[in-house]
Amino acid sequence: MLKSSIILSSSVTFIILIVNFVFKIYLAREFSQENLVIYYTIIDIFSIIGRVFVGYKDALTTIYNQTKYKFKIMRTWTVFFVWIVGVSAFIIIPLVYNIYLVDKIDSLDISWLYISFLFISMNMISYYGYIFLVTKYYKLISVKGIIQTFLSIGSILFLYILVGLDGDYKILIYASIISNFIMVFYLIYKQKRFLPRYNFIRLVGFRFSKFKDDTNKRFIRLTILASSNYFIYGLLLFAPIFTMLNYGTTNELAQFQVVARSIYFALISVFSWPLGRFMFPEFSSLIAKQNYKSLDDIRKKFIKLLIVFGMAIILGCLLLSKIVIGYLFPVEYIESYKMLNILIFALPFVMYQNFSESIIKAVGDYKTNLIIKSSGILSYIVGYLLLNEVLKVEFSSIYSFVVGMLAIFFLSLYYENKIKKSWSKI
């Protein structure tokens, strides 16, 4: 099941990658750099805010596979989700909007309510996605990705071409809200069909479920640890953006956000994220059954594939990135190939780190993951101070990002091997 799920997810994500890439070229030609920077910066802010509490999905996966009270833990998880998303949408986002974004982006003149509605819609999609993930409806998750992509593109084209709205960042936000809520209604329909027991109305409430043991406390503890892990990692993922936002130029930031980072994260979404998405619940199940041999077999095959893939993707990028980007994107984005050629070296290491992290999370060692991700952001800071302030290296924030990723890889590998040694003693 794991192999077929990963292949299906990667294949579907590859299709989505191609469609999104073509559409991003269209946006780069039709929308100004300033408008695209505003839109992507808002989405990045969302991602950082969401990472403050996103660890609850890992806590759910771990406890859901270990408890027989599955409905109760799903209710606790839903109550937590509603409270956190509500506080974020109507307290945190208005504060960030008025205190930070308005000051940093001169052209920002949209109401914070639209941004909050976008945040809510994005998280509702994630909520149903987690339900289908933890109950192992993997095919539905893959189909969800395709539908969401075409809904988003269709909504933008509808407002821009048919309705005739101006081509600025506002249309991207309006279209995202429309497509997201359509997607939410589709997922509600699928949930009622395949998982009627987990109806949102039955799950939602103001208080957690009651357990005879400390399940709720364990859920909160794991959520805090996992969320801290995601937040720290998020700081590393978005560190180059916020560095450029404060110390760089609009052109530099646009080249990174629209082209280099977009291509890099598209590759991550095809070749890396599906691994973490499906490996974690599967590894959690295998470890609970003490089926360590299957894990070792998966690891050996994965390493062989990763060596071949890593060499091919890095060499291909170094040879072709300038030609491809120069042909597809407007001339003002041409220098982004240099940024992409730096980022690409981190890709195979990030892919294997997903494997190591899945094992570490599956055994419930969230503290270790927090230490690992903290080493990444610390490495970024040290690397940036050295490369930018001392050596005056061009693209120092991007080189520092790669340094941070390598630090996370090596430390993850170290702890993974420690866990493997502990299994041999059982």
Side-chain angles (χ1 to χ4, degrees):
M1 178 183 287
L2 176 61
K3 181 179 178 181
S4 60
S5 298
I6 291 176
I7 292 174
L8 174 63
S9 179
S10 294
S11 301
V12 169
T13 308
F14 182 72
I15 296 172
I16 295 172
L17 161 66
I18 297 299
V19 173
N20 278 329
F21 186 69
V22 172
F23 191 66
K24 189 154 288 186
I25 295 171
Y26 172 79
L27 291 179
R29 296 179 183 275
E30 294 291 325
F31 290 70
S32 69
Q33 284 188 340
E34 183 181 29
N35 279 294
L36 292 179
V37 164
I38 292 173
Y39 176 71
Y40 288 122
T41 300
I42 290 173
I43 297 300
D44 290 336
I45 293 288
F46 280 3
S47 298
I48 286 291
I49 293 174
R51 283 173 175 270
V52 174
F53 61 86
V54 75
Y56 69 95
K57 69 183 180 68
D58 287 352
L60 172 68
T61 303
T62 299
I63 298 177
Y64 188 88
N65 283 312
Q66 296 175 355
T67 183
K68 61 181 180 179
Y69 303 109
K70 299 189 183 300
F71 181 83
K72 284 188 174 183
I73 191 59
M74 196 69 79
R75 173 175 283 175
T76 288
W77 175 68
T78 301
V79 171
F80 185 87
F81 168 85
V82 170
W83 275 106
I84 293 297
V85 171
V87 170
S88 299
F90 297 109
I91 297 179
I92 297 177
I93 285 179
L95 290 174
V96 172
Y97 178 90
N98 289 291
I99 295 174
Y100 183 76
L101 285 178
V102 171
D103 180 58
K104 293 295 180 183
I105 305 174
D106 294 333
S107 304
L108 189 64
D109 60 353
I110 190 172
S111 170
W112 65 265
L113 274 173
Y114 287 103
I115 299 177
S116 291
F117 285 138
L118 178 57
F119 180 81
I120 292 170
S121 66
M122 291 169 62
N123 279 280
M124 285 299 297
I125 292 174
S126 297
Y127 170 82
Y128 283 101
Y130 297 148
I131 289 179
F132 293 127
L133 178 62
V134 79
T135 52
K136 300 186 179 181
Y137 280 88
Y138 296 147
K139 290 183 180 179
L140 185 55
I141 294 173
S142 297
V143 171
K144 174 182 79 74
I146 292 180
I147 295 175
Q148 189 174 352
T149 297
F150 283 100
L151 276 175
S152 177
I153 293 174
S155 298
I156 293 173
L157 293 178
F158 173 77
L159 294 179
Y160 184 51
I161 297 176
L162 296 182
V163 178
L165 296 183
D166 294 335
D168 60 16
Y169 69 93
K170 293 180 184 178
I171 193 175
L172 300 177
I173 293 176
Y174 298 152
S176 296
I177 293 173
I178 293 170
S179 62
N180 285 349
F181 276 112
I182 293 174
M183 191 69 214
V184 169
F185 289 129
Y186 170 78
L187 292 174
I188 290 173
Y189 164 75
K190 287 297 183 180
Q191 171 268 312
K192 288 183 177 180
R193 181 180 176 185
F194 294 108
L195 294 166
R197 185 166 180 247
Y198 293 146
N199 186 290
F200 183 78
I201 302 301
R202 293 184 63 198
L203 293 172
V204 73
F206 294 101
R207 296 181 179 180
F208 290 165
S209 298
K210 293 183 179 180
F211 292 89
K212 294 180 179 179
D213 55 16
D214 64 343
T215 298
N216 281 330
K217 290 182 179 179
R218 185 165 176 250
F219 174 80
I220 294 297
R221 181 175 62 83
L222 290 180
T223 296
I224 292 173
L225 288 172
S227 294
S228 300
N229 169 27
Y230 277 107
F231 180 71
I232 292 294
Y233 193 49
L235 292 179
L236 175 59
L237 292 179
F238 301 112
I241 290 174
F242 294 117
T243 300
M244 293 178 192
L245 186 63
N246 286 281
Y247 304 108
T249 64
T250 299
N251 180 57
E252 182 185 32
L253 182 57
Q255 289 189 63
F256 182 69
Q257 283 186 311
V258 178
V259 183
R261 181 175 177 270
S262 294
I263 295 175
Y264 173 74
F265 273 90
L267 293 172
I268 289 287
S269 67
V270 173
F271 299 111
S272 182
W273 285 343
L275 299 177
R277 178 188 298 170
F278 298 118
M279 280 182 174
F280 176 36
E282 290 295 329
F283 286 5
S284 181
S285 178
L286 288 173
I287 289 172
K289 299 173 184 176
Q290 296 188 356
N291 190 356
Y292 305 131
K293 185 180 184 302
S294 294
L295 276 177
D296 197 45
D297 291 340
I298 293 172
R299 179 178 183 269
K300 290 176 182 177
K301 293 177 182 178
F302 182 58
I303 290 175
K304 292 178 182 178
L305 289 172
L306 193 55
I307 291 173
V308 175
F309 169 80
M311 293 176 65
I313 195 73
I314 291 173
L315 183 61
C317 187
L318 292 177
L319 293 175
L320 301 174
S321 61
K322 184 177 182 180
I323 298 172
V324 172
I325 291 173
Y327 178 76
L328 295 175
F329 287 90
V331 66
E332 59 264 31
Y333 292 99
I334 187 61
E335 291 298 306
S336 61
Y337 86 91
K338 297 178 182 178
M339 300 178 177
L340 180 60
N341 286 348
I342 300 169
L343 290 172
I344 199 66
F345 281 94
L347 180 59
F349 298 99
V350 171
M351 290 175 65
Y352 189 86
Q353 186 270 329
N354 259 322
F355 183 95
S356 297
E357 183 178 9
S358 295
I359 290 179
I360 295 169
K361 289 194 298 185
V363 299
D365 196 354
Y366 288 81
K367 289 182 180 179
T368 293
N369 264 328
L370 180 58
I371 294 171
I372 292 171
K373 296 302 170 57
S374 297
S375 74
I377 192 64
L378 180 61
S379 298
Y380 176 88
I381 294 171
V382 173
Y384 182 75
L385 291 175
L386 177 63
L387 294 173
N388 188 69
E389 302 299 327
V390 180
L391 300 178
K392 307 295 182 182
V393 175
E394 186 181 17
F395 306 127
S396 54
S397 62
I398 303 175
Y399 277 112
S400 301
F401 172 80
V402 175
V403 170
M405 287 297 181
L406 289 176
I408 289 175
F409 162 76
F410 285 114
L411 205 53
S412 296
L413 182 62
Y414 169 75
Y415 280 106
E416 179 203 339
N417 286 327
K418 283 189 67 175
I419 292 171
K420 284 179 59 184
K421 288 179 181 179
S422 69
W423 291 340
S424 63
K425 297 177 182 179
I426 298 177

